[in-house]
Amino acid sequence: MVSSTESTSAKANPASWPTAEAIDEAAGRIAGRAVVTPVLEWALLNERVGARVLIKPEIFQRTGSFKFRGAYNRVSQIPKADRPKGVVAFSSGNHAQGVAAAAQLLGIAATIVMPADAPRIKLENTRNFGARIITYDRAHDDREAVAAKVISETGATLVRPFDDPEIIAGQGTVGRELAAQAAELGARLDAVLVPCGGGGLMAGCALAIKAASPTTRLYAVEPAGFDETARSLDSGERQANAPGAKTFCDALTSPMPGELTFAINKRLVERGFSVSDREVAEAMAFAFNRLKLVIEPGGAVALAAILAGKLDIKGGCVGVVCSGGNVDAELFARTLSEAA
Amino acid sequence: MVSSTESTSAKANPASWPTAEAIDEAAGRIAGRAVVTPVLEWALLNERVGARVLIKPEIFQRTGSFKFRGAYNRVSQIPKADRPKGVVAFSSGNHAQGVAAAAQLLGIAATIVMPADAPRIKLENTRNFGARIITYDRAHDDREAVAAKVISETGATLVRPFDDPEIIAGQGTVGRELAAQAAELGARLDAVLVPCGGGGLMAGCALAIKAASPTTRLYAVEPAGFDETARSLDSGERQANAPGAKTFCDALTSPMPGELTFAINKRLVERGFSVSDREVAEAMAFAFNRLKLVIEPGGAVALAAILAGKLDIKGGCVGVVCSGGNVDAELFARTLSEAA
């Protein structure tokens, strides 16, 4: 019940993808609930990179990450008859908060399956949004099986973290806003870098930005060891990550690209970049010291790629999505201290 | 040479104050150099306060605080003949960076007199903007005398930290933007809270906001022990702080309100609030955890006042200026840990 029943080949057909109109509709649904995050620019960042850098800080989004957008777009479309049965989701923490907050606003009960070692701030916030939390052991338990059991018992609707057209359309509103805001600033986006886990934000942003600005090049950024999308784009087929890899980017540890997200990203994304934990830590410290932004590890990978010079963008204009800011104070302090 | 030659009574005459047109002109001078900082809003902050809260994050300003606005407005008006002689300023750190950055952009040499125990980030940034730094001992040296010596030797122009009409007009662009941005959001500002040291930001914001929105009430916020403006407003006369007070709000430790700033604030500001270091630390932790903003102690006092319930604003709309974000990582980490 948890895994898809559609075939990969059907998903490769653009007719099955969310359209620009679906992203417009998502923007309408989340209006007044989600934050239209600003685009921010710093002279010192532009000078450092040698290009115009437009930061899209989804850290200011309701729940502290972009995930609320897709979750609200999906949950708000659950038919009235199914709402009393609730929703269920599995997530390392940001999708958890997004679904919990969306369900709370819509008066729907939420059950969230989360790893026991998720950041404290993510567990606490999810609970504060009124969700019931079931924790599991990342090493031994199958989170999809835990979610499937809840569904079989309650009839709850599963809200997938990324491989769902309405989730992708919701996340696409990030790219839709960024394209419009860049145009308003008179900036022509040469490239946009997007943090990539399962690929929902990447696919949604790619669809929205290519619709508004077809010549803009899109890039997925992942933590080293979890660069499944980069390797899948290289090979043309979905690749899994080798087991045993470690990263402190807890939000970006998906084992394999989604079927639908990869079908979209394969067509629209140039390539992937991977960044080391050290490069991410330095980006977080730069954001603290220079930009005065609190960015969580997984939310800082695209900024890390730009600061580490992964993309040749001299003299151009690049959009950088900073996708989340939910990091515990202890880890944040340790990261700043180690990056110094 | 450092202290004013005008009389206090002359400064009490509104004809000598910066006009709304002077603030418009300042906005024109700093355009393209200073950042038009956004106004940010969070559902959870509104719910917590029980009012609509519009945050004006000057932490995103060039040099990490509002001080660049006034400094650039002042330094850019130095006559061509005087520019080769340089500028001099004394400052605990944010005015230092503002003057150094403005002078660098205008190709003018800057000498900055700073306390030896200023935050490292402020000393380093000031040096990185190309300024010569002369440090002094806060307990034993007279910083105005040190600056006067530089002036007598070089003929440099003194850039006062707050008690100067062009500095006040520059800082007033914060209030000018906030009033326009609130109007654009359809919000009627019932009150605006502003961090207050010597009173330049407060006076400038009061002039700009009263011009755009005469019914908006203005409030100055200061650290406990350095509430000279609050007590001066109460008594109607400028009051000095008792010696020996301590606060970690290093940006807000001026000994007495300025003559011109107090003349303006006395007429336009309702009253002052003071906040304890503990309340400031809690506001910094709230900003980290919930707003994902890095705010320095002195920059967080107005947010602290709102979170601590100092102002009865239920059901209304309040603007809160977060004036700076230049805080060392060690102090930031310690503050988060102690506030937890």
Side-chain angles (χ1 to χ4, degrees):
Chain A
M1 187 177 288
V2 170
S3 47
S4 171
T5 54
E6 292 177 62
S7 74
T8 302
S9 58
K11 290 186 175 167
N13 179 358
S16 72
W17 299 354
T19 59
E21 291 68 37
I23 298 172
D24 291 344
E25 285 165 19
R29 265 179 224 113
I30 69 176
R33 300 296 200 168
V35 176
V36 176
T37 56
V39 155
L40 300 176
E41 190 175 0
W42 286 263
L44 61 82
L45 178 58
N46 291 349
E47 284 155 23
R48 156 88 187 252
V49 175
R52 186 170 189 184
V53 183
L54 302 181
I55 297 283
K56 182 72 172 164
E58 281 295 300
I59 60 175
F60 301 145
Q61 188 50 258
R62 193 189 278 256
T63 73
S65 91
F66 71 96
K67 288 282 192 178
F68 176 77
R69 297 174 183 260
Y72 192 87
N73 188 49
R74 175 70 181 83
V75 175
S76 65
Q77 293 183 72
I78 293 174
K80 277 230 164 69
D82 291 335
R83 292 186 178 198
K85 298 178 216 162
V87 294
V88 63
F90 44 86
S91 162
S92 71
N94 280 333
H95 180 59
Q97 291 172 78
V99 172
Q104 186 179 51
L105 285 168
L106 293 158
I108 299 175
T111 302
I112 314 285
V113 181
M114 295 181 76
D117 64 349
R120 211 184 51 209
I121 190 173
K122 295 181 178 179
L123 285 160
E124 280 175 8
N125 288 350
T126 304
R127 199 169 286 119
N128 288 341
F129 290 122
R132 178 169 74 112
I133 296 177
I134 302 176
T135 55
Y136 70 92
D137 177 338
R138 226 189 258 265
H140 300 103
D141 300 342
D142 175 356
R143 65 183 191 174
E144 303 205 14
V146 178
K149 184 158 176 288
V150 173
I151 293 167
S152 71
E153 286 167 5
T154 61
T157 302
L158 175 69
V159 183
R160 288 193 178 82
F162 49 83
D163 221 16
D164 174 309
E166 296 302 337
I167 293 287
I168 293 170
Q171 321 303 30
T173 60
V174 173
R176 183 179 181 272
E177 287 173 18
L178 173 56
Q181 288 163 324
E184 216 169 282
L185 291 169
R188 195 184 139 285
L189 285 170
D190 296 303
V192 175
L193 275 71
V194 181
C196 188
L201 178 63
M202 181 73 255
C205 284
L207 288 165
I209 291 169
K210 285 289 189 188
S213 172
T215 61
T216 301
R217 297 183 305 281
L218 279 301
Y219 298 92
V221 188
E222 298 166 300
F226 294 87
D227 58 344
E228 70 283 0
T229 290
R231 289 183 295 102
S232 301
L233 290 170
D234 284 349
S235 72
E237 300 291 334
R238 290 198 300 150
Q239 306 287 330
N241 288 314
K246 291 225 181 297
T247 177
F248 80 142
C249 300
D250 63 276
L252 302 180
T253 58
S254 54
M256 190 185 265
E259 288 183 41
L260 178 57
T261 55
F262 182 65
I264 296 167
N265 291 334
K266 184 179 168 182
R267 192 75 67 94
L268 300 181
V269 173
E270 299 290 320
R271 58 163 290 188
F273 294 112
S274 78
V275 286
S276 68
D277 278 5
R278 173 82 202 177
E279 287 166 334
V280 174
E282 284 170 2
M284 289 171 67
F286 183 89
F288 168 82
N289 282 308
R290 303 294 169 178
L291 313 186
K292 315 302 174 185
L293 300 178
V294 176
I295 314 181
E296 67 176 277
V301 294
L303 179 62
I306 277 293
L307 291 174
K310 307 272 175 182
L311 177 69
D312 180 10
I313 190 70
K314 292 274 182 250
C317 175
V318 60
V320 174
V321 178
C322 294
S323 50
N326 293 315
V327 53
D328 286 336
E330 296 77 9
L331 175 62
F332 192 72
R334 202 162 61 239
T335 303
L336 295 186
S337 156
E338 288 172 5
Chain B
M1 188 173 288
V2 169
S3 47
S4 171
T5 54
E6 291 176 63
S7 74
T8 301
S9 58
K11 290 187 174 165
N13 179 0
S16 73
W17 299 354
T19 58
E21 292 67 39
I23 298 172
D24 291 344
E25 285 165 22
R29 266 180 222 112
I30 69 175
R33 299 298 199 166
V35 176
V36 176
T37 55
V39 155
L40 300 176
E41 190 176 1
W42 286 264
L44 61 80
L45 178 58
N46 292 349
E47 283 156 23
R48 157 88 187 253
V49 175
R52 186 169 188 184
V53 183
L54 302 181
I55 297 283
K56 182 71 172 165
E58 281 296 299
I59 60 175
F60 301 145
Q61 189 50 260
R62 195 189 276 254
T63 73
S65 90
F66 71 97
K67 288 281 193 181
F68 175 77
R69 296 174 183 260
Y72 192 86
N73 188 49
R74 175 70 182 85
V75 175
S76 65
Q77 293 182 73
I78 294 174
K80 277 231 165 69
D82 291 335
R83 293 188 176 196
K85 298 178 218 160
V87 294
V88 64
F90 44 87
S91 161
S92 71
N94 279 334
H95 180 58
Q97 292 173 75
V99 173
Q104 187 179 50
L105 285 169
L106 292 158
I108 300 176
T111 303
I112 314 283
V113 182
M114 294 180 77
D117 63 349
R120 210 183 53 210
I121 190 173
K122 295 181 178 179
L123 285 160
E124 280 175 8
N125 288 350
T126 304
R127 198 171 285 119
N128 288 340
F129 290 123
R132 177 169 74 111
I133 295 177
I134 302 176
T135 56
Y136 70 94
D137 178 336
R138 226 188 260 265
H140 300 102
D141 300 342
D142 174 357
R143 65 182 191 174
E144 303 205 14
V146 178
K149 185 159 176 288
V150 174
I151 292 167
S152 72
E153 286 167 6
T154 61
T157 302
L158 175 69
V159 184
R160 289 193 178 80
F162 48 83
D163 222 14
D164 174 309
E166 296 301 339
I167 294 287
I168 294 169
Q171 322 303 30
T173 60
V174 174
R176 183 179 182 271
E177 287 173 16
L178 173 56
Q181 289 163 323
E184 217 169 281
L185 291 168
R188 196 185 140 283
L189 285 170
D190 296 303
V192 175
L193 275 71
V194 181
C196 188
L201 177 63
M202 180 74 255
C205 285
L207 288 165
I209 291 169
K210 285 289 189 188
S213 172
T215 60
T216 301
R217 298 184 305 280
L218 280 301
Y219 299 92
V221 188
E222 298 167 299
F226 295 87
D227 57 344
E228 71 283 0
T229 290
R231 289 181 296 100
S232 301
L233 290 170
D234 283 348
S235 72
E237 299 292 335
R238 291 198 301 148
Q239 306 287 330
N241 288 314
K246 291 224 181 299
T247 177
F248 79 143
C249 300
D250 63 277
L252 301 180
T253 59
S254 53
M256 191 184 269
E259 288 182 40
L260 178 57
T261 55
F262 182 64
I264 296 167
N265 292 333
K266 186 179 166 180
R267 194 76 66 96
L268 301 181
V269 173
E270 299 290 319
R271 58 163 291 188
F273 294 112
S274 79
V275 287
S276 68
D277 278 5
R278 172 82 202 178
E279 287 165 337
V280 174
E282 284 169 3
M284 288 171 67
F286 183 89
F288 168 82
N289 282 308
R290 303 293 170 176
L291 313 185
K292 315 303 174 186
L293 300 177
V294 176
I295 314 181
E296 67 178 275
V301 293
L303 179 63
I306 276 295
L307 290 174
K310 306 272 176 184
L311 177 69
D312 180 10
I313 191 68
K314 293 274 182 247
C317 174
V318 60
V320 173
V321 178
C322 295
S323 50
N326 293 316
V327 53
D328 286 337
E330 295 78 8
L331 175 62
F332 192 73
R334 204 162 61 240
T335 303
L336 295 186
S337 156
E338 288 171 5

